[in-house]
Amino acid sequence: MTRQIRTSPAACDQSLHQAYDTALLDLDGVVYAGGRAIGHAVESLAAARADGMHLAYVTNNALRTPEAVAEHLGELGIPTEAAEVITSAQAVARLIAEQVEPGSKVLVIGGEGLRVALRERGLVPVESADEEGLAAVVQGYGGPDLAWGRFAEAAYAINRGVPWYASNTDLTIPGARGIAPGNGAAVEVVRIATGADPQVAGKPLPPMHRETVLRTGAKRPLVVGDRLDTDIEGAFNGEVDSLLVLTGVTDAEQLLRAEPRHRPTYVDRDLRGLLSGQPEVVPAAEGFRCGGWTAVALNNGVLELSEDGEGGEGGEGAAGGTGGGSDRDPMDGLRALCAAAWTAAAEGACTLDPAKALARLGL
């Protein structure tokens, strides 16, 4: 069966926290950045939980244990149980345990989150490639202080034929000071030294989705994330709906250029989007309309945006014209632009120029 290609953000008459039973929330770039809560996250999550939505925190960051993550969320004002936190360390530990004997030794390149997850699966974390009977190498994010020699230790074992696993391959991780290298960057270092490829458990791959479903029991889940290539693609692979928030690594232009597997069901500025419905994007003349904004893919290779009452095709007030200072919701304009861009791109990535349209929206 061929899956229908998404060409527009979807509408939802209900608030998302009422339409779905469980929010599967990414952490970095969605709930916090660099350890600090992102604006509107704490109060939005509290309101969603108070109204009956189950919250689960699903992270590709394998550095910390679920207990440590839950404690941190509590410090931010988000009461959380360890059982509500699902990490890529847990997913990769299950993956390894299904392929090696109980009690096997596993070389750990990463942090305490990996060690705890391995022990939970009856495996023995070790630190040296010279351990006798080594069954696997597992690599996860180890934080900025992870010693370079740990990558060498991984390479020694992998080059001897020991199977290699990675918790995730996110190339970057958002922090308080900006975007930093993630575990995927570290995986590339080991890949260059070995010529090998790891088995990967984290988003967007099936092991992480399976781990999440097993631990949460979600029936109508909504994936909430900031990354197209992990959160949104993971939802696509799991055939569940998704909400992209623009508080992390994905910006508006990247969203417009998204290929089908990276196109979210919904898009909003931040986690306040959980507490509202989502407006309908409708065909209008040669383009698409949402909330008083109309977006058109022009033949000259430009995405044009105009407001109700303005002239299109570069007219007064259209993107590229002299309009500005609108009190309309910029997110509605972005939704209309998504529909125009994704429809024009069909199964590919949009190549139209969105610069003037996005500048008008302040995005």
Side-chain angles (χ1 to χ4, degrees):
M1 180 178 177
T2 301
R3 191 181 310 186
Q4 185 176 359
I5 296 172
R6 176 169 297 285
T7 57
S8 173
C12 187
D13 293 335
Q14 293 178 280
S15 294
L16 296 182
H17 77 290
Q18 296 172 330
Y20 298 89
D21 71 338
T22 305
L24 306 179
L25 295 133
D26 184 45
L27 287 171
D28 294 297
V30 175
V31 177
Y32 55 63
R36 299 177 182 176
I38 288 173
H40 309 289
V42 174
E43 54 267 39
S44 296
L45 293 173
R49 184 191 287 275
D51 213 16
M53 188 179 216
H54 178 56
L55 306 179
Y57 301 94
V58 185
T59 177
N60 264 358
N61 190 331
L63 177 60
R64 294 187 294 174
T65 65
E67 289 77 12
V69 173
E71 181 179 358
H72 179 211
L73 288 171
E75 292 169 351
L76 296 178
I78 306 170
T80 306
E81 300 293 332
E84 296 173 318
V85 179
I86 299 94
T87 73
S88 62
Q90 293 171 318
V92 77
R94 187 187 296 269
L95 183 64
I96 296 170
E98 292 172 344
Q99 299 181 35
V100 304
E101 294 296 323
S104 292
K105 296 178 182 178
V106 180
L107 173 62
V108 175
I109 311 299
E112 186 62 15
L114 281 175
R115 296 179 181 87
V116 169
L118 290 170
R119 294 188 189 105
E120 183 184 50
R121 291 288 154 205
L123 301 172
V124 180
V126 300
E127 303 301 316
S128 172
D130 295 330
E131 284 278 352
E132 186 176 348
L134 192 62
V137 177
V138 64
Q139 185 173 0
Y141 183 62
D145 297 326
L146 184 67
W148 186 262
R150 300 306 297 158
F151 304 142
E153 205 68 26
Y156 300 149
I158 295 165
N159 281 328
R160 295 172 191 158
V162 178
W164 177 27
Y165 300 80
S167 63
N168 67 297
T169 53
D170 297 36
L171 291 173
T172 60
I173 186 169
R177 297 174 59 196
I179 303 299
N183 190 54
V187 166
E188 288 305 309
V189 171
V190 177
R191 192 196 310 271
I192 290 169
T194 62
D197 291 308
Q199 292 188 54
V200 183
K203 297 179 286 187
L205 297 173
M208 188 65 170
H209 181 72
R210 180 181 58 154
E211 190 73 21
T212 300
V213 171
L214 287 172
R215 288 180 181 266
T216 65
K219 303 299 182 185
R220 300 188 317 279
L222 177 69
V223 171
V224 184
D226 69 309
R227 300 185 72 106
L228 300 179
D229 59 347
T230 55
D231 304 315
I232 306 308
E233 186 175 342
F236 176 87
N237 290 338
E239 299 186 5
V240 299
D241 289 346
S242 60
L243 167 65
L244 178 80
V245 291
L246 300 179
T247 49
V249 302
T250 298
D251 61 27
E253 182 171 350
Q254 291 170 326
L255 175 62
L256 295 179
R257 301 195 187 284
E259 297 178 0
R261 70 183 187 277
H262 292 161
R263 296 172 187 169
T265 313
Y266 312 109
V267 58
D268 225 312
R269 188 182 300 275
D270 52 50
L271 285 177
R272 287 175 292 180
L274 278 177
L275 306 178
S276 65
Q278 294 287 308
E280 186 177 15
V281 182
V282 297
E286 296 180 357
F288 296 88
R289 183 177 182 277
C290 182
W293 295 98
T294 298
V296 180
L298 299 179
N299 292 331
N300 64 358
V302 172
L303 281 172
E304 181 188 72
L305 187 68
S306 61
E307 291 186 76
D308 287 357
E310 297 175 347
E313 295 288 333
E316 184 77 9
T322 59
S326 171
D327 59 0
R328 301 186 191 278
D329 186 355
M331 294 307 303
D332 288 340
L334 179 58
R335 294 178 183 110
L337 285 168
C338 283
W342 296 351
T343 299
E347 298 184 19
C350 181
T351 59
L352 301 173
D353 182 4
K356 291 183 179 179
L358 292 178
R360 181 168 190 189
L361 295 173
L363 297 172

